[in-house]
Amino acid sequence: MTDNANGAGDSVRQRGLAKMAEVYGTEFQDYPGDHFAMTADHLFANVWSRPGLSVRDRRLLLLGALTAQGLMDTAGIQIGAALRNGELTEEQLHEIALFLCHYVGWPNGTKLDLLVGTIVAQQKKAARAAADKSETA
């Protein structure tokens, strides 16, 4: 096994990149630096890859934690990925937001609900634009 520029084995990095692609529904390239190394080699190759919970289970937990902390920018990334991967529907995401209102506070739950609507609208607009582009090509 050869070490990459970050000192991690190529197989660990490849597992991490593969899990990142699975979680987010898009391919990731390798980046230099300790931050990316910890993200790919530890968080995704090890933590997100552990047995016992599905990606959807982990995403639900993460959405709750992010909403509780008011971290809507990161929650938005998770919402988009859940929709792209078909893990959660728009209706389920709205239900999650309503449920979380009662446990993490109405303001943060409401922000999540509004964010779900925004991201769903963005994805629908992008899908329409892609369809229009393919029709004219």
Side-chain angles (χ1 to χ4, degrees):
M1 173 170 67
T2 56
D3 284 350
N4 62 22
N6 297 311
D10 288 337
S11 64
V12 171
R13 178 59 51 88
Q14 291 310 309
R15 277 195 346 262
L17 292 171
K19 183 55 81 170
M20 289 173 76
E22 176 188 348
V23 169
Y24 292 109
T26 187
E27 294 302 313
F28 283 85
Q29 65 181 23
D30 199 353
Y31 289 98
D34 290 341
H35 183 81
F36 188 80
M38 188 62 69
T39 301
D41 301 345
H42 177 67
L43 179 59
F44 285 94
N46 293 322
V47 177
W48 275 83
S49 297
R50 289 180 53 80
L53 295 174
S54 67
V55 169
R56 182 181 186 274
D57 293 340
R58 292 173 200 280
R59 192 173 324 276
L60 287 168
L61 291 165
L62 184 52
L63 278 170
L66 292 169
T67 304
Q69 296 176 74
L71 299 173
M72 296 302 148
D73 53 343
T74 308
I77 294 167
Q78 298 304 320
I79 291 166
L83 289 165
R84 266 192 313 279
N85 291 344
E87 295 162 358
L88 297 165
T89 65
E90 176 182 0
E91 294 75 22
Q92 289 170 323
L93 287 161
H94 283 297
E95 187 63 29
I96 289 165
L98 182 60
F99 179 79
L100 286 174
C101 282
H102 295 84
Y103 289 94
V104 304
W106 211 264
N108 282 343
T110 300
K111 286 177 191 173
L112 183 70
D113 189 63
L114 293 171
L115 185 58
V116 167
T118 298
I119 292 171
V120 166
Q122 289 170 346
Q123 286 193 358
K124 286 179 180 177
K125 182 178 178 181
R128 280 192 306 270
D132 291 346
K133 186 177 180 179
S134 68
E135 288 176 7
T136 59

